[in-house]
Amino acid sequence: MTIPTRGITYARNKSLASVSENTSFVAFIDDDEVPAPQWLDELLWVQQTYNADVVGGPVTPYFVEKNVPQWVLDGKFFERNRQSTGDNIEIAFTHNSLVRADIFKQFTPVFQDRFAFTGGEDVHLFMGLHHQGYKMVWADDALVTEWIPKSRTNMQWILRRGYRTWGSHSLCEQEYQPSVKIQALRVVKGSLLIMYGLLLLLPSLALKRHLFVKALLQIARGAGTFSGLLGRHYEEYKVINSSGDDKNPDDADVTPSTLTLES
């Protein structure tokens, strides 16, 4: 009996290994997301319109628990940045993207296993594609909705995710842009984030809670930036937690989904 290997990258690479040689495009979505009816059509339309190699799209939150803390809603901690359709982008994510299948043939494996428990494997892949000159564009109508469980609507999870994601970005950027100038800019950015968070911290105590959490989030992001610069991997997915209504509150990206399109 074959014992399955744990880790995000192993699941993603196994999915890609099953892709037919006749596949033209591979679409990615996470297992805790639901696509809009026109999702795939929009991705394909933008790809054809702009002759793109990679197309990324937006993710909006849907809270599973009805009684979401008001500070979470006020802080918009689960809302992601959006752009206009056709805009060039420098990064994409496997929570909503479309990629030319031929691109994957140059990688063995596609997703590096050193990111198996840290996440950031998609940041590493797409940042590399950008630096190789592949055309990456945004499709703002290719909408995906992410289901947010109760176990994520707390300060600890929000700060931990901010630390990890900014650390992953910093680590990958260090690999693709190792120049002293770029790394110095990253040090400045990390320092400014921490200082900005500290400046907001005391005033926010007298205001609303979401402002206090936002101040702490800036500090967490700054700390994550320095962690990435030092080459440290924060293994967010190493331990699987369980909490009543959620079989695995930290399992985003653990069971990725891919859709292949043949010409």
Side-chain angles (χ1 to χ4, degrees):
M1 182 179 69
T2 303
I3 300 176
T5 304
R6 285 186 58 218
I8 300 170
T9 56
Y10 298 106
R12 294 203 188 284
N13 287 327
K14 187 172 183 179
S15 296
L16 289 174
S18 65
V19 171
S20 166
E21 292 184 358
N22 298 321
T23 297
S24 299
F25 299 98
V26 175
F28 291 93
I29 188 174
D30 284 341
D31 63 345
D32 55 357
E33 296 174 340
V34 177
Q38 78 281 7
W39 169 67
L40 191 55
D41 287 337
E42 290 293 337
L43 287 175
L44 288 169
W45 179 83
V46 170
Q47 187 282 321
Q48 293 172 1
T49 301
Y50 297 92
N51 192 28
D53 299 302
V54 177
V55 182
V59 177
T60 60
Y62 171 78
F63 295 98
V64 178
E65 183 74 16
K66 293 183 178 180
N67 298 322
V68 180
Q70 188 60 44
W71 66 266
V72 173
L73 300 177
D74 292 340
K76 300 181 179 180
F77 296 106
F78 294 91
E79 296 187 15
R80 306 170 190 264
N81 293 331
R82 298 177 67 165
Q83 298 177 230
S84 299
T85 294
D87 282 356
N88 291 322
I89 56 178
E90 297 184 0
I91 196 72
F93 303 94
T94 45
H95 56 221
N96 185 2
S97 57
L98 179 81
V99 186
R100 288 188 191 272
D102 286 345
I103 291 176
F104 297 127
K105 294 179 180 179
Q106 65 178 294
F107 301 103
T108 305
V110 174
F111 296 101
Q112 295 194 13
D113 292 331
R114 58 190 166 112
F115 296 101
F117 295 113
T118 65
E121 76 291 344
D122 52 351
V123 173
H124 183 266
L125 173 67
F126 289 117
M127 188 180 291
L129 295 181
H130 169 69
H131 283 286
Q132 290 182 48
Y134 286 100
K135 186 174 184 179
M136 303 168 61
V137 300
W138 185 258
D140 200 54
D141 292 325
L143 188 64
V144 162
T145 300
E146 179 183 21
W147 286 44
I148 309 297
K150 180 181 179 180
S151 56
R152 296 186 185 181
T153 55
N154 60 78
M155 184 170 64
Q156 181 183 16
W157 191 93
I158 291 170
L159 297 181
R160 187 176 62 207
R161 179 54 58 96
Y163 175 85
R164 198 270 295 173
T165 54
W166 282 67
S168 295
H169 187 96
S170 180
L171 187 148
C172 293
E173 185 181 66
Q174 183 184 44
E175 180 174 332
Y176 289 115
Q177 296 180 283
S179 71
V180 174
K181 179 180 178 181
I182 295 298
Q183 297 311 302
L185 286 174
R186 181 57 58 179
V187 169
V188 171
K189 289 179 181 178
S191 301
L192 289 175
L193 283 168
I194 293 174
M195 288 189 291
Y196 182 59
L198 290 173
L199 286 173
L200 292 178
L201 201 55
L202 288 178
S204 67
L205 289 173
L207 300 173
K208 295 184 178 180
R209 185 178 179 184
H210 75 276
L211 297 176
F212 175 68
V213 178
K214 279 193 171 184
L216 291 177
L217 184 57
Q218 299 306 311
I219 297 172
R221 288 171 172 174
T225 296
F226 282 106
S227 175
L229 281 171
L230 295 173
R232 295 177 180 174
H233 290 253
Y234 171 51
E235 296 185 329
E236 182 179 0
Y237 301 107
K238 186 70 172 181
V239 178
I240 298 178
N241 298 314
S242 177
S243 62
D245 57 338
D246 305 314
K247 63 177 182 179
N248 181 1
D250 296 329
D251 67 351
D253 301 333
V254 171
T255 310
S257 301
T258 61
L259 177 66
T260 62
L261 305 173
E262 297 183 4
S263 54

